[in-house]
Amino acid sequence: MRTPRYLFTGDFAAFADYFRAQPHQERRFRKGDCLWAPGQPFQSLYYILSGVAQTYTAHENGRRKITSFHGAGTVFPGYHQQDFRIESAIVTVALTDLHALEFTKEQFRRMFAENARLNAQVVEWYASYVNLLLYEAAHQEYNSTFLKLCNLLYLLPAQQAGPDGCVVAMTQDDLADILCVSRVQLTRGLSVLRAEQIIRTHRGRIDILDRPALAQYCSLETR
Amino acid sequence: MRTPRYLFTGDFAAFADYFRAQPHQERRFRKGDCLWAPGQPFQSLYYILSGVAQTYTAHENGRRKITSFHGAGTVFPGYHQQDFRIESAIVTVALTDLHALEFTKEQFRRMFAENARLNAQVVEWYASYVNLLLYEAAHQEYNSTFLKLCNLLYLLPAQQAGPDGCVVAMTQDDLADILCVSRVQLTRGLSVLRAEQIIRTHRGRIDILDRPALAQYCSLETR
DNA sequence: CGACTCATTGACGTAGCTCAAGGTATGTGG
DNA sequence: CCACATACCTTGAGCTACGTCAATGAGTCG
């Protein structure tokens, strides 16, 4: 049974050749670029060939919530026809140089209509995104900051995880923006884990030294 | 541009005859029944003919988060093939007597594969659910309890809203479980709105007397 | 080597939680 | 129709987790 993931990669890898053969525009973004101008509903979809992007929602009070990360072999944002109010607050920014194929909604609609395997995969991708959001809205919501943090550190490197020695390469500011907690409170949680030799902290990076011990702190829903 | 909705109705109304003509099992639930035994991943999907169901996620600490409501003309849960860990914590309970068509995942898969209009609608439904969850996880997360409450009261009757005189028929306990706040704190918010003649409170019911005044309190994302 | 970003820790204020007590509708059985 | 039980609602008091503000230290880069 699948646990939530924050980094999406490879979901649409099987469609790489198909996508290249369809009408599209090839796009290259520099580290730090936005994939589209913020402030309006989605116009286009991107199939990422290489690089990683980060998606966050800007709040009118100035804060932001980082929702997810999107790497090679995935399509973002999710395909749909309706326009939602909240889309104008969603920003997707390249964390590295990024190479992608851009499709208009209409181009994607045509592929969706003609390719049954593709539309089945779109639905699976949505289900997976709903799973992440449900985990955050329904489960993490009731957890203390410290438990939220342990859960996040456990889930983030899940796809690459060995028994020990995995790495979370992210600033504490960004971790705080994923959990919607203050950077200060996040640091306090990290110091507890550091004191117990479960993690080592660095500038822009956290090493997870003892994943089994970390798992002990996590909620049942997470392990 | 669409704002989030908590009550899903009619999304699949156009498919009523189609669903009836496909292999299924007809089911009737009494008020208070669960649509499926909690504790395992989804096995079946339900097309609701009449009645309303409530979906919530049980937290291991004993609390629960009410996610959404599902009325006539909708399918729940969303169709997909993967099994997610969190599904075992999701409960859907009939709030009224309820009449539905039950489909196995396999039966639904066949309809999904053969009916292009249906699979397009499944995607639109998912997009709409993601919109609700993003609103809660990314926007409401940063709002104070009072602002959360105003936003909720504004959105709940949105589909039936006249300029004034609409009604939220729900106990304060349930409202608190939607927002993941304590019942006590919710009551305090209601007393503020009551003092300003914006609402009137009753047992199991809230009348919204002055919707424009309520809107003044809501966040930009909500109006 | 200076400037900038990122990380850490302490002091303090407050929103929201828990506990507790009492009030008010609604339903039920005699 | 009344007595009683059972929700549901309201308000107060005290505690605490977490946010803000502030000062300082530690990596990294041009």
Side-chain angles (χ1 to χ4, degrees):
Chain A
M1 280 192 294
R2 311 194 59 163
T3 48
R5 56 184 170 148
Y6 288 87
L7 170 61
F8 290 81
T9 42
D11 307 72
F12 292 87
F15 299 93
D17 291 340
Y18 175 76
F19 284 140
R20 279 180 201 277
Q22 301 294 315
H24 66 266
Q25 198 187 338
E26 196 160 346
R27 299 289 304 272
R28 286 178 189 276
F29 301 93
R30 290 298 189 75
K31 178 176 174 174
D33 289 352
C34 290
L35 270 64
W36 62 83
Q40 20 181 316
F42 306 147
Q43 313 286 339
S44 308
L45 293 91
Y46 300 85
Y47 174 74
I48 300 176
L49 294 167
S50 68
V52 177
Q54 182 190 58
T55 297
Y56 65 89
T57 305
H59 192 283
E60 56 200 73
N61 68 11
R63 296 188 244 194
R64 63 177 193 155
K65 152 82 184 171
I66 298 176
T67 316
S68 52
F69 299 86
H70 304 273
T74 56
V75 172
F76 194 79
Y79 165 72
H80 57 263
Q81 290 292 335
Q82 304 158 80
D83 286 340
F84 296 102
R85 180 85 175 73
I86 208 167
E87 287 176 10
S88 5
I90 293 177
V91 178
T92 297
V93 57
L95 292 181
T96 63
D97 288 357
L98 192 145
H99 186 197
L101 310 180
E102 176 176 336
F103 299 93
T104 64
K105 266 195 180 183
E106 176 54 22
Q107 287 170 336
F108 207 93
R109 191 196 59 70
R110 246 183 257 129
M111 296 191 286
F112 183 90
E114 98 174 13
N115 188 331
R117 274 176 51 242
L118 177 61
N119 67 46
Q121 185 54 42
V122 167
V123 163
E124 295 305 317
W125 181 88
Y126 262 115
S128 175
Y129 210 74
V130 163
N131 182 48
L132 172 62
L133 290 172
L134 259 182
Y135 176 80
E136 298 217 310
H139 178 74
Q140 287 279 58
E141 181 75 16
Y142 280 124
N143 294 334
S144 70
T145 296
F146 181 67
L147 183 46
K148 281 181 185 166
L149 171 60
C150 294
N151 288 342
L152 180 64
L153 289 177
Y154 187 80
L155 290 175
L156 271 180
Q159 287 159 320
Q160 59 165 82
D164 49 28
C166 49
V167 166
V168 174
M170 216 176 288
T171 67
Q172 296 186 11
D173 262 296
D174 283 356
L175 291 171
D177 284 350
I178 295 177
L179 296 179
C180 301
V181 302
S182 70
R183 185 174 37 74
V184 172
Q185 194 65 9
L186 189 104
T187 298
R188 291 193 223 281
L190 290 175
S191 357
V192 173
L193 294 174
R194 188 172 352 104
E196 302 194 16
Q197 315 274 337
I198 293 174
I199 61 170
R200 192 177 302 139
T201 57
H202 303 273
R203 183 189 173 85
R205 186 181 112 227
I206 294 168
D207 296 338
I208 296 173
L209 306 174
D210 189 348
R211 195 169 148 86
L214 179 61
Q216 289 301 312
Y217 276 123
C218 292
S219 59
L220 300 174
E221 204 58 70
T222 309
R223 299 195 299 252
Chain B
M1 279 192 294
R2 309 196 61 164
T3 48
R5 56 185 170 147
Y6 288 87
L7 169 61
F8 290 80
T9 42
D11 308 73
F12 291 88
F15 299 93
D17 292 338
Y18 175 76
F19 284 139
R20 279 180 202 279
Q22 301 294 314
H24 66 266
Q25 199 188 336
E26 196 159 347
R27 300 290 303 271
R28 284 177 190 278
F29 301 92
R30 290 297 190 74
K31 179 177 173 173
D33 289 350
C34 289
L35 269 64
W36 62 84
Q40 21 182 314
F42 306 148
Q43 314 286 339
S44 308
L45 293 92
Y46 300 85
Y47 175 74
I48 300 177
L49 295 167
S50 68
V52 178
Q54 182 190 59
T55 296
Y56 64 88
T57 305
H59 193 281
E60 57 199 72
N61 69 12
R63 296 187 244 191
R64 64 177 192 155
K65 152 81 184 174
I66 298 176
T67 317
S68 52
F69 299 87
H70 304 273
T74 55
V75 171
F76 194 78
Y79 166 72
H80 57 263
Q81 290 292 335
Q82 304 157 82
D83 286 339
F84 295 102
R85 179 87 176 70
I86 209 169
E87 288 176 10
S88 8
I90 294 177
V91 179
T92 298
V93 57
L95 291 182
T96 63
D97 289 355
L98 191 145
H99 185 197
L101 310 181
E102 177 176 336
F103 300 93
T104 64
K105 265 194 180 183
E106 176 54 23
Q107 287 170 338
F108 208 94
R109 191 195 59 72
R110 245 183 258 128
M111 295 191 288
F112 183 90
E114 97 173 16
N115 188 330
R117 274 177 51 244
L118 178 60
N119 66 46
Q121 185 54 42
V122 167
V123 163
E124 294 306 317
W125 181 88
Y126 262 115
S128 175
Y129 211 74
V130 164
N131 182 48
L132 172 62
L133 291 171
L134 259 183
Y135 176 79
E136 298 217 311
H139 178 74
Q140 286 280 60
E141 181 76 16
Y142 281 123
N143 293 335
S144 70
T145 295
F146 181 68
L147 183 47
K148 281 181 185 165
L149 171 60
C150 294
N151 287 343
L152 181 64
L153 290 176
Y154 187 81
L155 290 175
L156 271 180
Q159 287 158 321
Q160 58 164 83
D164 49 29
C166 50
V167 166
V168 174
M170 216 176 289
T171 67
Q172 296 186 12
D173 262 295
D174 283 356
L175 291 171
D177 284 350
I178 296 177
L179 296 179
C180 300
V181 302
S182 71
R183 185 174 39 73
V184 172
Q185 195 65 10
L186 189 103
T187 297
R188 291 193 223 280
L190 291 174
S191 354
V192 173
L193 294 174
R194 187 171 354 103
E196 303 193 15
Q197 315 274 338
I198 293 174
I199 61 169
R200 193 178 299 140
T201 57
H202 304 273
R203 185 190 172 86
R205 187 181 109 227
I206 294 168
D207 297 339
I208 295 171
L209 305 174
D210 189 348
R211 197 170 147 85
L214 179 61
Q216 289 301 311
Y217 276 124
C218 291
S219 60
L220 300 173
E221 203 58 70
T222 308
R223 300 196 297 249

